Amino acid sequence: MKNLKDILYKVAIKEVFGVTDLYVNQLIFDSRNVKKNDVFIALKGVSVDGHVYIEKAISLGAIAIICEDFPSEKKENCTYIKVADSQTALAIMAANFYGDPSSKLILVGVTGTNGKTTVASLLYQLFKKAGYKVGLLSTVKILVDETEFNATHTTPDSVSINYYLEKMVNDKVNYCFMEVSSHGIHQKRTEGLSFAGGIFTNLTHDHLDYHKTFAAYRDVKKSFFDSLPKTSFVLTNIDDKNGQVMLQNTQAIKKTYALKTLADYKAKIVEKQFSGTLMNINGTEVWTKLIGEFNAYNLLAIAATAELLGLEKLEILKILSQLDSVSGRFQYIASENQVIAIIDYAHTPEALKNVLETINEIRTGNKKVITVVGCGGDRDVTKRPKMAHISSQLSSQVIFTSDNPRSENPQTIIDEMEVGVSPENYKKTLSVLDRKQAIKIACKFAEQGDIILIAGKGHENYQEVNGVRSHFDDLEEVINCFNQLKKN
């Protein structure tokens, strides 16, 4: 148990009712999980206001309430603390509760629309291969050195972040690489953390269902870098038009990377193949297993970060050539008759464009590109026609299908996608609601040497329909299809 007074250190408190010199068990922000002697933090969410559950939390045993507004009636045996912002208070309290673990290791945050998972995961790989104990907080998985935990969000909640960071400190982890999402920044989940550095990958059309405007989305990302101290570094992709914006108000040490313009860290692509990419990084050539220009940016960011954190240049390049692609990120397999299937998480217009352009640059002769793609339900609807336009423009054939329709009608989502298809591309398109069937049809259409791109879900192993998640894995489905075709 921890003393509430200590946990409240640095929290902006407006008013207190009751005593703060008391011992509490856990920090809880979901009233359903409250137990005896817990602190309940009432958060004002997008759809639910935690303040309405204060009485329920007390009935379940909460002895202290953190809130932005006091309830009309207060219980005598409970402490109420009014704060300026409950989200910020939760983050600071979580850091205090777990002993400020981020200050006891080297924590680097990675933000941007695309590339966060790849950069964070490959930095984990690189530092592991360099002999360090490393932590990872990512969309795909959470790793405390070699112990794996399931990830549920790009950026976990504040309590979970500090819980895992404390585990890392106890396990003597040296470095931790963390994906930092715009939702996580906006909801103050990264407040109270000590970052040694921050990486900006790029900024494209995404999450406008949440942020409403691109400017708001950009400014939330920027606020992460604005908050970094003088002792940390910012590494930004200066080829991206928003790369310079991220540097405008930061106090941190400013570093840049680029493929096309002058930068502190520079690279160019020498050769592209489906087996990998030959790159020249700051004058030295290195062969990597990763494919495409978007991965060249990721690898350059990784090399630059490793150098900023003190690794030797030659050691970095040597390990860079050994790194394996991340699950669901341009992950490919070949059938017996040499049909190539690529599984990629591309779920934004820019990411889809990058993957398809890479495939078209590498493919030879008259080999077809068959794309299976959908758009998620209850998410930014404005990108749907854009995704359809890009896929139909850059593919030989496109099959529109379901991709986590959630509470929406899958056919409505596809109808909204098809609006973006140019008249000259209509004949290339096909709609198949069932994703499993869509993948099967793509495999049947493909001939020797053709390339199938299955976009949108990547590493995800589920399909969500009407709030229910059932097992579904794009890679598994492709393998099954290839095996079935082999038998026939």
Side-chain angles (χ1 to χ4, degrees), residues 294-457:
F294 56 95
N295 271 324
Y297 279 106
N298 294 335
L299 288 163
L300 180 57
I302 290 159
T305 301
E307 191 173 321
L308 286 167
L309 293 175
L311 269 62
E312 292 293 325
K313 291 180 186 179
L314 288 178
E315 182 186 20
I316 293 166
L317 295 179
K318 178 185 172 185
I319 299 173
L320 215 61
S321 67
Q322 302 168 9
L323 299 180
D324 296 312
S325 63
V326 179
S327 174
R329 270 66 176 177
F330 216 96
Q331 186 176 8
Y332 78 99
I333 57 168
S335 71
E336 205 169 65
N337 68 334
Q338 292 308 299
V339 171
I340 293 172
I342 296 168
I343 314 295
D344 196 272
Y345 190 53
H347 62 286
T348 66
E350 189 65 24
L352 185 62
K353 182 171 178 279
N354 286 340
V355 171
L356 282 167
E357 284 182 345
T358 296
I359 291 169
N360 283 316
E361 285 167 8
I362 300 172
R363 72 181 172 118
T364 56
N366 296 317
K367 306 306 180 190
K368 298 194 301 290
V369 178
I370 302 166
T371 300
V372 178
V373 65
C375 287
D378 304 330
R379 298 292 184 269
D380 182 5
V381 298
T382 63
K383 70 181 180 183
R384 292 173 184 175
K386 296 178 183 180
M387 298 280 281
H389 175 76
I390 289 164
S391 55
S392 59
Q393 193 75 25
L394 298 176
S395 307
S396 312
Q397 182 139 28
V398 183
I399 304 172
F400 297 130
T401 191
S402 297
D403 180 347
N404 292 334
R406 301 184 177 90
S407 70
E408 284 196 67
N409 183 327
Q411 187 59 58
T412 301
I413 297 172
I414 291 175
D415 291 344
E416 291 176 358
M417 290 180 70
E418 288 176 338
V419 172
V421 179
S422 303
E424 69 272 16
N425 291 325
Y426 284 153
K427 63 181 183 295
K428 293 184 185 179
T429 68
L430 179 67
S431 295
V432 180
L433 277 179
D434 187 283
R435 192 175 181 92
K436 186 172 187 174
Q437 281 301 119
I439 292 170
K440 278 185 179 179
I441 291 168
C443 292
K444 285 179 181 177
F445 282 172
E447 298 172 345
Q448 185 174 5
D450 288 347
I451 301 121
I452 301 168
L453 170 64
I454 303 168
K457 293 181 67 64

Side-chain angles (χ1 to χ4, degrees), residues 27 34 76-77 80 126 149 185 202 253 292 430 444 462:
L27 305 179
V34 172
E76 288 297 331
N77 60 343
Y80 297 80
L126 190 150
F149 301 87
I185 300 166
N202 51 63
I253 299 160
L430 179 67
K444 285 179 181 177
Y462 63 86

Side-chain angles (χ1 to χ4, degrees), residues 15 20 32 122 130 190 211 214 227 276 312 316 352 393 406 410 435:
E15 193 177 343
T20 58
R32 293 167 296 185
L122 293 185
T190 54
H211 298 288
F214 186 83
S227 68
E312 292 293 325
I316 293 166
L352 185 62
Q393 193 75 25
R406 301 184 177 90
R435 192 175 181 92

Side-chain angles (χ1 to χ4, degrees), residues 19 50 112 125 129 150 156 174 188 192-193 205 247 251 259 289 295 306 320 338 361 393 398 408 443 449 452:
V19 297
Q125 270 193 48
K129 288 179 184 293
N150 289 331
N174 308 106
K188 313 294 175 63
L193 299 180
H205 188 107
L247 300 177
Q251 300 178 74
L259 297 184
K289 298 177 186 178
N295 271 324
L320 215 61
Q338 292 308 299
E361 285 167 8
Q393 193 75 25
V398 183
E408 284 196 67
C443 292
I452 301 168

